[in-house]
Amino acid sequence: MQSPSGKFCPACKRYNEPGAIFCVHCGAPFEDAHLRPVTTTRFGMPESAEPEVAARRWSPQILPDTGIAFFFPEDQMPFEICPEDEFLIGRKTDDSPEYMLDLAIYDAFGHGVSRRHARVRRTPEGYEITDLESTNGTWVNEQRLAPHQPQFLPSGAMLRLGRMRMMVAYKK
């Protein structure tokens, strides 16, 4: 049974937004899943890109007392606050770690975000991020990270995973 505005998963029977090709709840493919590959597609992207003007004037409305907040550049409110000391960023699957910042509902696949894209870890100085050999790369303030080399992630930084841009903010 399919709703005119969305579809229900054939496996878990939960509602999904229109255009979904995989269930965001359990990962089961819909009939039209063959239209897109399962693995992340490599995009022909430049090594660096000019940050958006909106990001230059960005000032968050909320900074969490603990943890790190993630914002889209055009928003002043976070879409996620992660209180964990260490977590992965990517697209959650059945075998994903217990805590992952799951970007699947924000069309992470379409933006070139890998399932296990990056690791974020709290340090005494703040946070660090490590690219986990992602298909389309990880950037901090438009500087591409080398895989498996932790990089300081300053509060207020522009983080880019593939083509997905977000800002991070935290209190020290």
Side-chain angles (χ1 to χ4, degrees):
M1 178 165 101
Q2 184 170 336
S3 166
S5 61
K7 40 179 113 171
F8 290 91
C9 175
C12 72
K13 311 296 185 223
R14 293 173 74 182
Y15 177 78
N16 286 264
E17 294 296 321
I21 61 168
F22 291 94
C23 177
V24 297
H25 306 285
C26 72
F30 292 117
E31 298 80 34
D32 53 355
H34 67 279
L35 300 175
R36 286 167 87 175
V38 175
T39 59
T40 306
T41 303
R42 181 175 300 281
F43 292 114
M45 299 182 316
E47 285 300 308
S48 65
E50 184 64 25
E52 298 171 11
V53 173
R56 292 181 186 146
R57 293 180 290 199
W58 179 76
S59 175
Q61 296 292 321
I62 292 180
L63 280 177
D65 288 331
T66 60
I68 184 170
F70 292 85
F71 302 77
F72 290 116
E74 61 276 5
D75 296 334
Q76 304 298 307
M77 300 296 285
F79 67 86
E80 184 84 24
I81 296 175
C82 299
E84 284 72 17
D85 288 339
E86 184 174 334
F87 56 93
L88 296 182
I89 302 176
R91 296 180 286 122
K92 193 165 181 74
T93 60
D94 288 340
D95 62 344
S96 295
E98 189 170 296
Y99 191 81
M100 171 183 270
L101 174 53
D102 183 12
L103 299 173
I105 62 172
Y106 305 107
D107 191 27
F109 183 84
H111 284 88
V113 177
S114 297
R115 290 184 193 126
R116 293 176 40 91
H117 199 101
R119 173 178 286 112
V120 175
R121 180 178 298 152
R122 184 188 316 261
T123 68
E125 296 79 34
Y127 285 86
E128 67 182 19
I129 186 165
T130 306
D131 180 82
L132 300 176
E133 291 187 45
S134 62
T135 302
N136 290 299
T138 303
W139 283 259
V140 173
N141 292 328
E142 294 306 324
Q143 298 295 312
R144 187 169 185 160
L145 305 184
H148 301 291
Q149 299 296 313
Q151 174 72 37
F152 179 63
L153 182 60
S155 185
M158 167 71 79
L159 177 61
R160 181 160 59 100
L161 309 172
R163 294 186 299 173
M164 181 176 278
R165 294 175 190 271
M166 62 192 77
M167 307 295 288
V168 297
Y170 56 88
K171 291 180 182 175
K172 294 182 182 183

Coordinates of all heavy atoms in Angstrom, one line a residue, residues 63-71 80-89 99 101 118-131 140-141 145 149-157 159 167-172:
L63 N 24.0 27.2 21.5 CA 25.2 26.4 21.7 C 25.0 25.4 22.9 O 24.5 25.8 24.0 CB 26.4 27.3 22.1 CG 27.1 28.0 21.0 CD1 28.2 28.9 21.6 CD2 27.7 27.0 20.0
P64 N 25.2 24.1 22.7 CA 24.9 23.2 23.8 C 25.8 23.3 24.9 O 27.0 23.7 24.7 CB 25.0 21.8 23.1 CG 26.0 22.1 22.0 CD 25.7 23.5 21.5
D65 N 25.4 23.1 26.2 CA 26.2 23.1 27.3 C 27.3 22.0 27.3 O 28.4 22.2 27.7 CB 25.4 23.0 28.6 CG 24.6 24.3 28.9 OD1 25.1 25.4 28.5 OD2 23.6 24.2 29.5
T66 N 26.8 20.9 26.7 CA 27.8 19.7 26.5 C 27.5 19.2 25.1 O 26.4 19.3 24.6 CB 27.5 18.6 27.6 OG1 26.2 18.1 27.4 CG2 27.8 19.1 29.0
G67 N 28.5 18.6 24.6 CA 28.3 18.0 23.2 C 28.6 19.0 22.1 O 29.1 20.1 22.4
I68 N 28.3 18.6 20.9 CA 28.6 19.4 19.7 C 27.3 19.5 18.9 O 26.6 18.5 18.8 CB 29.8 18.8 18.9 CG1 30.1 19.6 17.7 CG2 29.5 17.3 18.5 CD1 31.4 19.2 17.0
A69 N 27.0 20.7 18.4 CA 25.8 20.9 17.6 C 26.2 21.0 16.1 O 27.2 21.5 15.8 CB 25.1 22.2 18.1
F70 N 25.3 20.5 15.3 CA 25.4 20.5 13.9 C 24.3 21.3 13.3 O 23.1 21.1 13.6 CB 25.4 19.1 13.3 CG 26.6 18.3 13.7 CD1 26.7 17.6 14.9 CD2 27.7 18.2 12.9 CE1 27.8 16.9 15.3 CE2 28.8 17.5 13.2 CZ 28.9 16.8 14.5
F71 N 24.7 22.2 12.4 CA 23.7 23.2 11.8 C 23.9 23.1 10.3 O 25.0 23.0 9.8 CB 24.0 24.6 12.2 CG 24.0 24.9 13.7 CD1 25.1 24.5 14.5 CD2 22.9 25.6 14.2 CE1 25.1 24.8 15.8 CE2 22.9 25.9 15.6 CZ 24.0 25.5 16.4
E80 N 21.0 18.6 14.9 CA 21.4 17.5 15.8 C 22.4 18.1 16.8 O 23.3 18.9 16.5 CB 22.1 16.4 15.0 CG 22.5 15.2 15.8 CD 21.3 14.2 15.9 OE1 20.4 14.2 15.1 OE2 21.4 13.4 16.9
I81 N 22.3 17.6 18.1 CA 23.3 17.8 19.1 C 23.7 16.5 19.6 O 22.9 15.6 20.0 CB 22.7 18.7 20.3 CG1 22.2 20.0 19.8 CG2 23.7 18.7 21.4 CD1 21.5 20.9 20.8
C82 N 25.0 16.2 19.5 CA 25.6 14.9 19.8 C 26.3 15.1 21.2 O 27.4 15.7 21.2 CB 26.5 14.4 18.8 SG 25.7 14.2 17.2
P83 N 25.8 14.4 22.2 CA 26.5 14.5 23.5 C 27.6 13.5 23.7 O 28.4 13.6 24.7 CB 25.4 14.3 24.5 CG 24.4 13.4 23.8 CD 24.5 13.8 22.3
E84 N 27.8 12.5 22.9 CA 28.7 11.5 23.0 C 30.2 12.0 22.8 O 30.4 13.0 22.1 CB 28.5 10.4 22.0 CG 27.3 9.5 22.4 CD 26.0 10.1 22.2 OE1 25.9 11.1 21.5 OE2 25.0 9.6 22.7
D85 N 31.1 11.4 23.5 CA 32.5 11.7 23.3 C 33.1 11.3 22.0 O 34.1 11.8 21.6 CB 33.3 11.2 24.5 CG 33.1 11.9 25.8 OD1 32.6 13.0 25.8 OD2 33.3 11.3 26.9
E86 N 32.5 10.3 21.4 CA 33.0 9.7 20.1 C 31.8 9.2 19.4 O 31.0 8.4 20.0 CB 34.1 8.7 20.4 CG 34.7 8.2 19.1 CD 35.9 7.2 19.3 OE1 36.5 7.3 20.4 OE2 36.1 6.4 18.4
F87 N 31.8 9.5 18.1 CA 30.7 8.9 17.3 C 31.1 9.0 15.8 O 32.0 9.7 15.4 CB 29.4 9.7 17.5 CG 29.5 11.2 17.3 CD1 29.2 11.8 16.1 CD2 29.9 12.0 18.3 CE1 29.3 13.1 15.9 CE2 30.0 13.4 18.1 CZ 29.7 13.9 16.9
L88 N 30.3 8.3 15.0 CA 30.6 8.3 13.5 C 29.5 9.2 12.9 O 28.4 9.5 13.4 CB 30.4 6.9 12.9 CG 31.5 5.9 13.4 CD1 31.3 4.6 12.7 CD2 32.9 6.4 13.2
I89 N 29.9 9.8 11.7 CA 28.9 10.5 10.9 C 28.8 9.7 9.6 O 29.8 9.3 9.0 CB 29.4 11.9 10.6 CG1 29.7 12.7 11.9 CG2 28.4 12.7 9.7 CD1 30.3 14.1 11.6
Y99 N 25.9 4.6 18.3 CA 25.6 6.0 18.0 C 26.3 6.5 16.8 O 27.5 6.4 16.7 CB 25.9 6.9 19.2 CG 25.3 8.3 19.0 CD1 24.0 8.5 19.3 CD2 26.0 9.3 18.4 CE1 23.4 9.7 19.0 CE2 25.4 10.5 18.1 CZ 24.1 10.7 18.4 OH 23.5 11.9 18.1
L101 N 25.7 9.9 13.9 CA 25.0 11.0 13.4 C 24.5 10.6 12.0 O 25.3 10.5 11.1 CB 25.8 12.3 13.3 CG 25.2 13.5 12.6 CD1 23.9 13.8 13.2 CD2 26.2 14.7 12.7
A118 N 33.0 9.7 8.5 CA 34.0 10.3 9.4 C 33.7 10.0 10.9 O 32.6 9.6 11.2 CB 34.0 11.9 9.2
R119 N 34.8 10.1 11.7 CA 34.7 9.9 13.1 C 35.0 11.2 13.8 O 35.9 11.9 13.5 CB 35.7 8.9 13.6 CG 35.8 8.7 15.1 CD 36.7 7.7 15.6 NE 36.2 6.4 15.3 CZ 36.6 5.5 14.5 NH1 37.7 5.8 13.8 NH2 36.1 4.3 14.3
V120 N 34.1 11.6 14.8 CA 34.3 12.8 15.6 C 34.6 12.3 17.0 O 34.0 11.4 17.6 CB 33.1 13.7 15.6 CG1 33.2 14.9 16.5 CG2 32.8 14.2 14.2
R121 N 35.6 12.9 17.7 CA 36.1 12.6 19.0 C 36.3 13.8 19.8 O 37.0 14.7 19.3 CB 37.3 11.7 18.9 CG 37.9 11.2 20.2 CD 39.1 10.4 20.1 NE 38.7 9.2 19.3 CZ 39.5 8.5 18.5 NH1 40.8 8.9 18.4 NH2 39.1 7.4 17.9
R122 N 35.9 13.8 21.1 CA 36.1 14.9 22.0 C 37.6 14.8 22.5 O 38.0 13.7 22.8 CB 35.2 14.9 23.2 CG 35.4 16.1 24.1 CD 34.5 16.0 25.4 NE 33.2 15.5 25.2 CZ 32.1 16.3 25.2 NH1 32.3 17.6 25.3 NH2 30.9 15.8 25.0
T123 N 38.3 15.9 22.6 CA 39.6 16.0 23.1 C 39.7 17.1 24.2 O 38.7 17.8 24.3 CB 40.6 16.4 22.0 OG1 40.4 17.7 21.6 CG2 40.6 15.4 20.8
P124 N 40.7 17.2 24.9 CA 40.8 18.3 25.9 C 40.7 19.7 25.3 O 40.3 20.6 25.9 CB 42.2 18.1 26.6 CG 42.5 16.6 26.4 CD 41.9 16.2 25.1
E125 N 41.1 19.8 24.0 CA 41.1 21.1 23.4 C 39.7 21.4 22.7 O 39.5 22.5 22.2 CB 42.2 21.2 22.3 CG 43.6 21.1 22.9 CD 44.0 19.7 23.2 OE1 43.6 18.8 22.5 OE2 44.7 19.6 24.2
G126 N 38.9 20.4 22.5 CA 37.6 20.6 21.8 C 37.2 19.3 21.1 O 37.0 18.3 21.8
Y127 N 37.2 19.3 19.8 CA 36.8 18.1 19.0 C 37.8 17.9 17.9 O 38.4 18.9 17.4 CB 35.4 18.2 18.4 CG 34.3 18.0 19.5 CD1 33.9 19.0 20.3 CD2 33.8 16.7 19.7 CE1 32.9 18.8 21.2 CE2 32.8 16.5 20.7 CZ 32.4 17.6 21.4 OH 31.4 17.4 22.4
E128 N 38.0 16.7 17.4 CA 38.7 16.4 16.2 C 37.9 15.5 15.4 O 37.0 14.8 15.8 CB 40.1 15.7 16.6 CG 39.9 14.3 17.2 CD 41.2 13.6 17.5 OE1 42.2 14.3 17.7 OE2 41.2 12.4 17.6
I129 N 38.2 15.6 14.1 CA 37.4 14.8 13.1 C 38.5 14.0 12.2 O 39.5 14.5 11.9 CB 36.5 15.6 12.2 CG1 35.7 14.8 11.3 CG2 37.3 16.7 11.4 CD1 34.5 15.5 10.7
T130 N 38.1 12.8 11.9 CA 38.9 11.9 11.1 C 38.1 11.4 9.9 O 37.0 10.8 10.1 CB 39.5 10.7 11.9 OG1 40.1 11.2 13.1 CG2 40.4 9.9 11.1
D131 N 38.6 11.6 8.7 CA 38.0 11.0 7.5 C 38.2 9.5 7.5 O 39.4 9.1 7.7 CB 38.5 11.6 6.2 CG 37.9 11.0 5.0 OD1 36.8 11.5 4.6 OD2 38.5 10.1 4.4
V140 N 37.4 20.5 6.4 CA 37.1 21.4 7.5 C 37.6 22.8 7.0 O 38.7 23.0 6.6 CB 37.9 21.0 8.7 CG1 37.8 22.1 9.8 CG2 37.4 19.7 9.3
N141 N 36.6 23.7 7.0 CA 36.9 25.1 6.4 C 37.6 25.0 5.1 O 38.5 25.7 4.8 CB 37.7 25.9 7.4 CG 36.9 26.2 8.7 OD1 35.7 26.4 8.6 ND2 37.6 26.3 9.8
L145 N 40.7 16.8 4.3 CA 41.4 16.0 5.2 C 42.0 14.7 4.6 O 41.4 14.1 3.7 CB 40.5 15.5 6.3 CG 39.7 16.6 7.1 CD1 38.9 15.9 8.2 CD2 40.6 17.6 7.7
Q149 N 43.8 10.7 9.4 CA 44.6 11.7 10.0 C 43.7 12.6 10.8 O 43.1 13.5 10.2 CB 45.4 12.4 9.0 CG 46.4 11.6 8.2 CD 47.4 10.9 9.1 OE1 48.1 11.6 9.9 NE2 47.6 9.6 8.9
P150 N 43.6 12.5 12.1 CA 42.7 13.4 12.9 C 43.1 14.8 12.7 O 44.3 15.2 12.6 CB 43.0 13.0 14.4 CG 43.6 11.6 14.3 CD 44.3 11.6 13.0
Q151 N 42.1 15.7 12.6 CA 42.2 17.1 12.4 C 41.3 17.8 13.4 O 40.2 17.4 13.6 CB 41.7 17.4 11.0 CG 41.7 18.9 10.6 CD 43.1 19.5 10.4 OE1 43.9 18.8 9.9 NE2 43.3 20.7 10.9
F152 N 41.9 18.9 14.0 CA 41.1 19.7 15.0 C 39.9 20.3 14.3 O 39.9 20.7 13.1 CB 42.0 20.8 15.5 CG 41.3 21.7 16.5 CD1 40.8 21.2 17.7 CD2 41.1 23.1 16.2 CE1 40.1 22.0 18.6 CE2 40.4 23.9 17.1 CZ 39.9 23.4 18.3
L153 N 38.7 20.2 14.9 CA 37.5 20.7 14.4 C 37.0 21.9 15.3 O 36.4 21.7 16.3 CB 36.4 19.6 14.4 CG 35.0 19.9 13.9 CD1 35.1 20.3 12.4 CD2 34.1 18.7 14.1
P154 N 37.4 23.1 14.9 CA 37.1 24.2 15.8 C 35.6 24.6 15.8 O 34.9 24.3 14.8 CB 37.9 25.4 15.2 CG 38.1 25.0 13.7 CD 38.1 23.5 13.7
S155 N 35.1 25.1 16.9 CA 33.7 25.6 17.0 C 33.5 26.7 16.0 O 34.4 27.6 15.8 CB 33.4 26.1 18.4 OG 32.1 26.4 18.5
G156 N 32.4 26.6 15.2 CA 32.2 27.6 14.2 C 32.7 27.2 12.8 O 32.6 27.9 11.8
A157 N 33.3 26.0 12.7 CA 33.9 25.6 11.4 C 32.8 25.1 10.5 O 31.8 24.6 10.8 CB 34.9 24.4 11.7
L159 N 32.0 22.3 8.0 CA 32.3 20.9 7.7 C 31.6 20.5 6.4 O 30.4 20.8 6.2 CB 31.8 20.1 8.9 CG 32.0 18.6 8.8 CD1 33.5 18.2 8.7 CD2 31.4 17.9 10.1
M167 N 27.6 23.3 9.6 CA 28.5 24.1 10.6 C 28.5 23.3 11.9 O 27.5 22.6 12.2 CB 27.9 25.5 10.8 CG 27.7 26.3 9.5 SD 29.1 26.7 8.6 CE 29.8 27.9 9.6
V168 N 29.5 23.5 12.7 CA 29.6 22.8 14.0 C 29.8 23.9 15.0 O 30.5 24.9 14.7 CB 30.7 21.8 14.1 CG1 30.4 20.6 13.1 CG2 32.1 22.4 13.8
A169 N 29.3 23.7 16.2 CA 29.5 24.7 17.3 C 29.4 23.9 18.6 O 28.6 23.0 18.8 CB 28.4 25.8 17.2
Y170 N 30.3 24.3 19.5 CA 30.3 23.8 20.9 C 30.9 24.8 21.8 O 31.6 25.7 21.4 CB 31.0 22.4 20.9 CG 32.4 22.5 20.4 CD1 33.5 22.8 21.2 CD2 32.7 22.2 19.0 CE1 34.8 22.8 20.8 CE2 34.0 22.3 18.6 CZ 35.1 22.5 19.4 OH 36.4 22.6 19.0
K171 N 30.6 24.5 23.1 CA 31.3 25.3 24.2 C 32.5 24.6 24.6 O 32.5 23.3 24.7 CB 30.4 25.5 25.4 CG 29.2 26.5 25.1 CD 28.4 26.6 26.3 CE 27.2 27.5 26.0 NZ 26.3 27.6 27.1
K172 N 33.6 25.3 24.9 CA 34.8 24.6 25.3 C 34.8 24.3 26.8 O 34.1 24.7 27.6 CB 36.0 25.5 25.0 CG 36.2 25.6 23.5 CD 37.4 26.4 23.1 CE 37.4 26.5 21.6 NZ 38.5 27.2 21.1

